Amino acid sequence: MSSRRDDLPPAGPAAVPAALDPLAGVRADGDPRTDVYLTGSVFLDIIFTGLDSAPVRGTESWARGMGSSPGGVANMATALARLGLRTSLAAAFGDDHYGEYCWEALEQGEGIDLALSRTVPGWHSPVTVSMAYEGERTMVSHGHEAPPPDFAFDGKHAPGCPPPSRACIASLVPGRREAWLGCAAGRGSCIFADVGWDDSGRWDPADLADLEHCEAFLPNAEEAMRYTRTDCPRAAARKLADRVPLAVVTLGSQGAYAVDGRTGESAEVPAIAVEALDPTGAGDVFVAGFVTGTLADWPLTDRLAFAGLSAALSVQEFGGSLSAPGWAEIAAWWQQVRAYEAGAPGVLRRQYAFLDEVLPAAYRPAPLARAVPTIGFRPPA
């Protein structure tokens, strides 16, 4: 198996320089080269928006909008990279045009380090079709699990333990242990984790044994309540804080609530009201924002607020990965808030005052890539 695409130039975390480094104040000599390591499956996402309702059996529905972009774990990787974190992704890519597009978009477009990723000959890219309507989404996916790295592959590019990094992000699978988490935590990486839906319906707290390696756990309200056998997401967060140093529960339109199990501190931040175009990947963008604030050593309330803002900006664009905001979008939003609330500072002006210390005085980066209806457009002759 090929460890990278030979027709593309090598790239690493510094391939696309970040005009704003949120960790500049905490970096020191001897720090890991990588800020965040993550692994998972990369999908090609095809998103339909502008549907008036869910598709009806036996009928044809026309969408007013459509976008294509890398999806799956690419949502999180892109969100992290756009916030200026040096991001390393270990993933399998299909040996097809979809896989080539996703690799190029992530490596060349976003500056994500794919040295630990590989192309699998004869394996096609997983695909997800997402239909967004009434603020919700319905998804249909197809794909086959990629062969393990040691199948006709020397394994040197996909080590059992990831390279040293400030943080790792894991998506826990109920009942399955991830051996690499203990190794990464032992090397000093800060582990952030979310969890997928438990299709078995057991919701057994013992299935989350890997929380012993985690710094933070970020489930949604329904997941948190089911695992803790509670009927209140805030009570669920407090109970989860007995198992993990930092429990963060997302509350949908109500915002997010967090409890620091070491200090007893809690924080709650309301969601920012926006008109959502496509919610795909919003949860991943939230986690990326929270990781950024945590690594930058911001106060807990500021971390929650920044994560919520990042997610709110993302749902106003097409697609999961390419809807993630960069610092330009964050700066533009903050400028609008300050102008609107200049006379009598309101809730947003007070809640996000910390951005004055984070954002540069002037920031004029190149426009971010956005999802487009198709892939493979040829440049004009």
Side-chain angles (χ1 to χ4, degrees), residues 152-195:
F153 180 61
D154 62 14
K156 69 180 180 179
H157 294 291
C161 187
S165 59
R166 292 176 182 271
C168 298
I169 300 179
S171 184
L172 304 183
V173 177
R176 189 180 80 188
R177 297 300 299 266
E178 299 288 350
W180 67 272
L181 289 180
C183 180
R187 285 185 171 182
S189 294
C190 184
I191 311 296
F192 298 79
D194 59 14
V195 67

Side-chain angles (χ1 to χ4, degrees), residues 47-53 61-67 132-133 277 318 373:
I47 306 100
F48 293 101
T49 65
L51 292 165
D52 295 321
S53 63
S61 300
W62 280 82
R64 290 186 289 275
M66 176 184 170
Y133 53 88
L277 173 66
F318 279 116

Side-chain angles (χ1 to χ4, degrees), residues 208 211 217-220 223-225 227-228 233-249 259 261:
L208 300 179
L211 287 183
F217 183 43
L218 299 95
N220 63 36
E223 294 160 349
M225 290 187 292
Y227 274 118
T228 58
R234 294 162 184 81
R238 292 190 291 270
K239 196 167 182 177
L240 287 170
D242 293 334
R243 298 192 59 183
V244 67
L246 191 58
V248 182
V249 176
V259 176

